[in-house]
C-alpha cells in the first residue's frame, strides 16, 4: 500500500484563504515529483492509462479562525469528499462559487474541483486523442485512476470511511453513468448529474455531434475558428453568467482543435447504454430549454433505465440552468440556490449512510 500523500507540503501548490475556506491547487505531475504516488503508481502509468499528460485539481476545506489544520488533517476528519467535474470545453472555473459555498455551508467536507478530459490544465498528450481516450466512460476511468493514485480511495488510513459524492455537468454528467462501482459495496457514495450529455437514445443529437466533431477536424475549419466561437457559447447556454461564457471562450481558444473535435464527436458516438442494476445512488437535474441535451429524450432515457421521478429535478433554464450573473434569467439564481440545498441534503444522506456502514461493521 502506498503511503498517504501530504498534499499541503507541496511547494508548487497555491494557498489562499477566503472566509475560512482554504483553497489549494495541485497537478499530478508536481505531486509525483515530490512523492511516490499511492499504490506504487507513477505519472507515466497514469499517462499510459488515460492518455492525459497531467491532471489538475483544487481542494477546498473549512478551517476555523486560529486553527492550524492542514489538508492532510482535514482528509482524515471530514465527513466526506465531493468531486466537481465540468463539461465539454469547460474547466473547474465553470462552477464559479458553488464549491466554495458548499464548503462554507457544510464545513465538514472537502471539495475537489477538477479539470478533466483534455481541457483546462489537464491536457492530453496528443493534440488529437483517440476516441476511446476521451469518451465519457474514459473520463470517469481517469478520475478513478486519480482517486487511487492520490490515495483518496480506498481510504484505508481512516477509521471512519468518508462518503464520496460525484457532481458532473454535461460531458461529466454523462461520465457518472459509467462509474465502475466494483469494490464500492461498503462505501457511501452518490452521483449528481446536471444536464448529462448522454445520447444513447437520441439519434438526432448523435448525428449532430458526430457531424460537427468530424467537421471541426477538417483543416480548413481552423480559418473560421473565431467565427464558430459565438455558436459554441449559444449551444452551451446563453443564460450562463458572463464568467462562465468567458471561461468557455478562453478554453475554446487555448485547446487544440483535435481535442475540441474528438470530445464532441465521441458524445455522438457513445451509444453504449450504461450497465447498472441499481440507479438509487443518482440524482439528476435538467434544464427545460437545454439545446445541448434534449429534455424529452433524456426523460425517456431515464425512464427506460428505470429511474424514479423523485430522483429527477427539472429546472427552468438552459444547459447552464445553475449559472447566474448579469443577463441571466432570474430562474437561474433560484436554481443555484436549490442546487446548493440539494447538495447539502445529499451530503447529509450520505453521512448517515456512512455512519450506518460503520455501525454495521462494528
Amino acid at each position: 500500500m502506498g503511503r498517504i500523500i501530504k498534499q499541503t507540503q507541496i511547494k508548487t501548490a497555491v494557498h489562499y484563504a477566503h472566509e475560512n475556506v482554504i483553497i489549494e491547487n495541485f497537478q499530478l505531475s508536481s505531486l509525483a515529483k515530490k512523492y511516490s504516488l499511492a499504490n506504487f503508481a507513477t505519472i507515466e502509468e497514469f499517462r499510459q492509462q488515460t492518455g492525459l499528460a497531467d491532471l489538475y485539481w483544487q481542494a477546498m476545506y473549512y478551517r476555523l479562525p486560529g486553527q492550524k489544520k492542514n489538508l492532510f488533517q482535514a482528509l482524515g476528519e471530514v465527513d466526506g469528499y465531493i468531486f466537481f467535474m465540468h463539461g465539454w470545453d469547460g474547466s473547474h472555473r465553470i462552477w464559479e462559487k458553488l464549491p466554495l459555498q458548499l464548503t462554507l455551508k457544510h464545513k465538514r467536507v472537502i471539495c475537489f474541483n477538477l479539470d478533466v478530459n483534455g481541457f483546462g490544465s489537464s491536457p492530453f498528450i496528443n493534440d488529437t486523442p483517440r476516441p476511446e481516450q476521451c469518451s465519457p466512460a474514459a473520463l470517469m476511468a481517469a478520475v478513478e485512476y486519480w482517486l487511487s493514485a492520490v490515495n483518496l480511495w480506498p481510504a484505508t488510513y481512516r477509521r471512519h470511511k468518508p462518503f464520496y459524492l460525484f457532481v458532473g455537468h454535461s460531458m461529466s454528467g454523462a461520465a457518472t453513468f459509467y462509474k465502475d462501482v466494483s469494490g464500492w459495496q461498503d462505501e457511501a457514495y452518490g452521483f449528481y448529474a446536471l444536464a448529462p450529455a448522454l445520447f444513447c437514445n437520441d439519434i438526432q443529437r448523435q448525428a449532430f455531434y458526430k457531424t460537427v466533431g468530424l467537421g471541426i477536424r477538417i483543416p480548413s475549419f481552423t480559418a473560421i475558428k473565431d467565427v464558430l466561437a459565438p455558436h459554441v457559447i449559444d449551444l452551451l447556454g446563453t443564460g450562463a453568467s458572463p464568467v462562465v461564457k468567458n471561461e468557455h471562450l478562453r478554453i475554446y481558444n487555448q485547446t487544440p482543435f483535435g481535442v475540441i473535435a474528438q470530445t464532441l464527436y465521441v458524445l455522438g458516438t457513445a451509444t453504449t447504454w450504461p450497465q447498472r442494476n441499481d440507479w438509487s445512488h443518482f440524482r439528476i437535474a435538467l434544464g427545460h430549454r437545454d439545446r445541448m441535451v434534449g429534455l424529452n429524450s433524456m426523460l425517456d432515457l431515464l425512464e427506460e433505465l428505470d429511474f424514479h421521478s423523485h430522483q429527477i429535478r427539472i429546472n427552468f433554464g438552459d444547459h447552464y440552468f445553475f449559472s447566474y450573473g448579469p443577463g441571466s434569467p432570474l430562474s437561474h439564481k433560484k436554481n443555484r440556490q436549490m442546487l446548493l440545498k440539494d447538495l447539502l441534503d445529499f451530503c447529509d444522506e450520505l453521512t448517515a449512510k456512512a455512519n450506518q456502514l460503520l455501525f454495521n461493521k462494528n
Side-chain angles (χ1 to χ4, degrees):
M1 180 62 63
R3 60 176 171 164
I4 302 164
I5 301 167
K6 298 185 179 181
Q7 302 181 65
T8 49
Q9 295 182 3
I10 300 170
K11 294 181 181 178
T12 54
V14 177
H15 303 260
Y16 60 95
H18 181 82
E19 298 184 55
N20 302 330
V21 173
I22 308 303
I23 305 175
E24 303 183 22
N25 304 324
F26 302 98
Q27 285 197 283
L28 192 62
S29 58
S30 299
L31 201 66
K33 289 177 183 177
K34 186 74 175 180
Y35 299 100
S36 297
L37 296 178
N39 303 317
F40 305 104
T42 65
I43 187 65
E44 288 75 22
E45 289 174 349
F46 175 82
R47 289 167 176 164
Q48 290 174 6
Q49 291 286 336
T50 66
L52 294 168
D54 213 336
L55 194 140
Y56 168 91
W57 69 96
Q58 286 185 336
M60 301 184 188
Y61 60 99
Y62 187 85
R63 187 168 69 188
L64 289 169
Q67 275 190 338
K68 295 183 178 180
K69 179 171 65 176
N70 59 31
L71 177 57
F72 176 64
Q73 292 170 317
L75 285 168
E77 296 175 1
V78 297
D79 293 335
Y81 309 148
I82 305 171
F83 306 94
F84 286 89
M85 304 177 296
H86 62 81
W88 179 77
D89 186 48
S91 78
H92 68 282
R93 292 190 177 103
I94 66 96
W95 296 106
E96 300 178 270
K97 293 183 179 180
L98 181 61
L100 181 67
Q101 291 170 333
L102 185 57
T103 308
L104 279 168
K105 287 283 187 180
H106 194 288
K107 297 182 176 61
R108 289 190 55 81
V109 297
I110 299 177
C111 289
F112 296 90
N113 197 354
L114 288 73
D115 282 355
V116 296
N117 220 25
F119 296 105
S121 297
S122 297
F124 279 108
I125 297 170
N126 298 318
D127 284 351
T128 303
R130 299 194 307 271
E132 64 271 19
Q133 291 178 320
C134 55
S135 67
L139 187 165
M140 196 70 241
V143 171
E144 292 180 79
Y145 195 93
W146 166 77
L147 282 173
S148 177
V150 298
N151 217 9
L152 288 175
W153 184 85
T156 53
Y157 54 91
R158 290 186 48 146
R159 185 183 67 84
H160 179 193
K161 288 186 177 182
F163 70 74
Y164 297 82
L165 176 55
F166 299 88
V167 183
H169 176 237
S170 191
M171 171 185 70
S172 287
T176 61
F177 283 71
Y178 296 96
K179 170 76 174 72
D180 182 4
V181 294
S182 302
W184 285 69
Q185 62 274 9
D186 294 325
E187 306 284 359
Y189 63 93
F191 308 95
Y192 205 132
L194 311 179
L198 192 63
F199 308 121
C200 303
N201 66 330
D202 194 334
I203 298 174
Q204 185 177 9
R205 281 182 172 78
Q206 287 175 19
F208 174 77
Y209 293 120
K210 283 193 292 186
T211 301
V212 175
L214 286 171
I216 291 176
R217 285 187 284 185
I218 299 173
S220 59
F221 233 80
T222 305
I224 61 170
K225 186 176 182 181
D226 292 341
V227 177
L228 188 64
H231 299 286
V232 171
I233 301 305
D234 187 52
L235 174 68
L236 291 170
T238 55
S241 72
V243 171
V244 168
K245 291 179 181 178
N246 289 336
E247 180 62 6
H248 272 294
L249 284 173
R250 186 183 75 86
I251 295 297
Y252 180 81
N253 288 326
Q254 78 170 33
T255 305
F257 240 23
V259 173
I260 291 175
Q262 198 76 295
T263 49
L264 191 62
Y265 173 78
V266 297
L267 289 179
T269 58
T271 56
T272 302
W273 285 63
Q275 301 299 314
R276 194 184 301 271
N277 295 323
D278 179 12
W279 294 101
S280 63
H281 296 269
F282 273 77
R283 304 291 181 271
I284 310 293
L286 305 170
H288 87 295
R289 282 199 306 266
D290 191 338
R291 297 176 61 187
M292 187 167 185
V293 178
L295 177 61
N296 290 336
S297 58
M298 178 53 61
L299 289 175
D300 289 342
L301 175 63
L302 295 174
E303 182 182 26
E304 194 154 353
L305 290 174
D306 203 24
F307 274 76
H308 297 281
S309 298
H310 72 271
Q311 296 174 266
I312 304 165
R313 179 190 291 279
I314 300 175
N315 304 270
F316 289 122
D318 57 28
H319 196 58
Y320 269 100
F321 58 83
F322 57 91
S323 174
Y324 179 76
S328 300
L330 182 60
S331 59
H332 282 212
K333 182 178 182 180
K334 297 176 181 177
N335 295 339
R336 187 168 64 183
Q337 293 168 344
M338 286 191 293
L339 176 58
L340 179 60
K341 183 180 184 303
D342 281 352
L343 290 172
L344 287 168
D345 290 344
F346 210 163
C347 288
D348 290 342
E349 179 184 327
L350 291 173
T351 299
K353 286 185 178 180
N355 290 335
Q356 185 62 49
L357 286 168
L358 179 64
F359 177 80
N360 294 342
K361 184 178 180 180
N362 295 334

